Amino acid sequence: MKQSLFTIQSNEKLTESVCKMVLAGDTSAITAAGQFVNIQLKGFFLRRPISVCDYDENTLTILYKVVGKGTEAMSKMKAPHKLDVLTGLGNGYDTSVSGDKPLLIGGGVGVPPMYRLAKNLIAEGKHPIVILGFNTKDEIFYAEEFEKLGAEVHIATADGSAGVKGFVTDVVKTIPDYTYFYTCGPEPMLKALSDVTTTSGQLSFEERMGCGFGACMGCSCQTKYGNKRICKDGPVLVKEEIIW
């Protein structure tokens, strides 16, 4: 974990409720796709945990949904505003067990960490299949960015306005011979994927957090190996260890 000041380079809307922010700063503590950052906002007691969408040596890209007063305040920030950011939080995804044809499944604001994961897997010579789930076509974001990486992309919308009508689980059932799966999204989606998938996989949990680095025990969950802290021992857990 590292605490640094980051400078906003850009902050724009992707959809009515999802924004993309690019920050300049020290990203050296970020070591894996699936990690998150915790952002301090003036006037708010708790930091806001946001998953990492992408990063390089000098910049950090985050995609976030405006769901409350904190993220609403973030959406109004402009360059060159500075933010106090904790980086390198969480364990991230392990790509060494993916096999050649892994599924990457993102639901809503669970989509962003799948982007860096897809980039890493492709760099390793693997062939990820990306499944993105949304309620309606107006909520779709980053599908073209995944395609530009060279990933095979499938879309599911609950209302059928784009892609497959239904949920990401409906698309999973149509994909033969995948070797592993990675996912991030709301807990009902994660549980449904755990039930429908035929391989092992890694699931990233979204959880409200107090500290973000394991001190407060406020985001614990039950596993076969005892209680684990989503922020410190996760947010990524292996399918077989989760007790639903």
Side-chain angles (χ1 to χ4, degrees):
M1 180 184 74
K2 189 167 189 175
Q3 183 176 8
S4 306
L5 278 180
F6 279 73
T7 303
I8 295 176
Q9 290 190 324
S10 62
N11 191 23
E12 60 181 327
K13 272 191 170 186
L14 298 182
T15 71
E16 187 60 32
S17 61
V18 175
C19 300
K20 173 183 178 180
M21 181 183 287
V22 179
L23 298 150
D26 182 0
T27 62
S28 60
I30 305 173
T31 58
Q35 289 184 304
F36 66 96
V37 299
N38 221 5
I39 302 174
Q40 187 175 74
L41 301 175
K42 186 177 180 180
F44 296 89
F45 179 67
L46 295 178
R47 290 174 179 262
R48 264 52 185 181
I50 308 288
S51 60
V52 173
C53 176
D54 200 11
Y55 64 96
D56 58 28
E57 292 181 356
N58 304 303
T59 62
L60 164 69
T61 300
I62 58 173
L63 310 183
Y64 61 96
K65 186 174 184 178
V66 178
V67 294
K69 293 181 179 179
T71 45
E72 182 181 1
M74 282 180 60
S75 71
K76 297 175 182 177
M77 294 176 179
K78 303 182 184 300
H81 185 83
K82 294 187 181 298
L83 289 171
D84 182 309
V85 184
L86 297 179
T87 59
L89 300 176
N91 57 352
Y93 295 106
D94 178 4
T95 61
S96 69
V97 294
S98 71
D100 184 62
K101 191 180 175 182
L103 294 182
L104 279 58
I105 309 155
V109 287
V111 168
M114 297 294 105
Y115 180 77
R116 180 63 193 214
L117 178 59
K119 182 183 281 191
N120 289 354
L121 288 165
I122 290 170
E124 294 171 9
K126 297 164 184 176
H127 303 88
I129 300 169
V130 177
I131 304 172
L132 307 177
F134 305 93
N135 288 319
T136 179
K137 67 177 182 180
D138 293 335
E139 297 180 5
I140 296 173
F141 62 91
Y142 250 59
E144 291 183 1
E145 282 77 4
F146 281 99
E147 291 174 347
K148 289 176 183 176
L149 290 178
E152 178 183 332
V153 179
H154 299 262
I155 301 290
T157 53
D159 67 356
S161 54
V164 173
K165 181 177 182 179
F167 304 105
V168 292
T169 47
D170 296 308
V171 181
V172 169
K173 294 173 185 177
T174 70
I175 307 294
D177 304 325
Y178 56 90
T179 55
Y180 199 76
F181 77 93
Y182 300 91
T183 186
C184 181
E187 191 166 315
M189 186 192 95
L190 301 185
K191 185 180 186 306
L193 284 169
S194 184
D195 292 337
V196 78
T197 47
T198 58
T199 69
S200 183
Q202 296 170 34
L203 302 87
S204 181
F205 283 76
E206 300 171 352
E207 185 61 72
R208 296 184 71 86
M209 298 176 184
C211 66
F213 49 85
C216 72
M217 304 298 289
C219 60
S220 295
C221 69
Q222 191 176 10
T223 76
K224 293 178 181 177
Y225 309 109
N227 288 336
K228 287 193 173 184
R229 298 160 293 180
I230 293 298
C231 68
K232 182 72 172 179
D233 307 310
V236 178
L237 301 176
V238 177
K239 172 182 171 178
E240 290 76 16
E241 70 179 302
I242 301 165
I243 296 176
W244 296 103

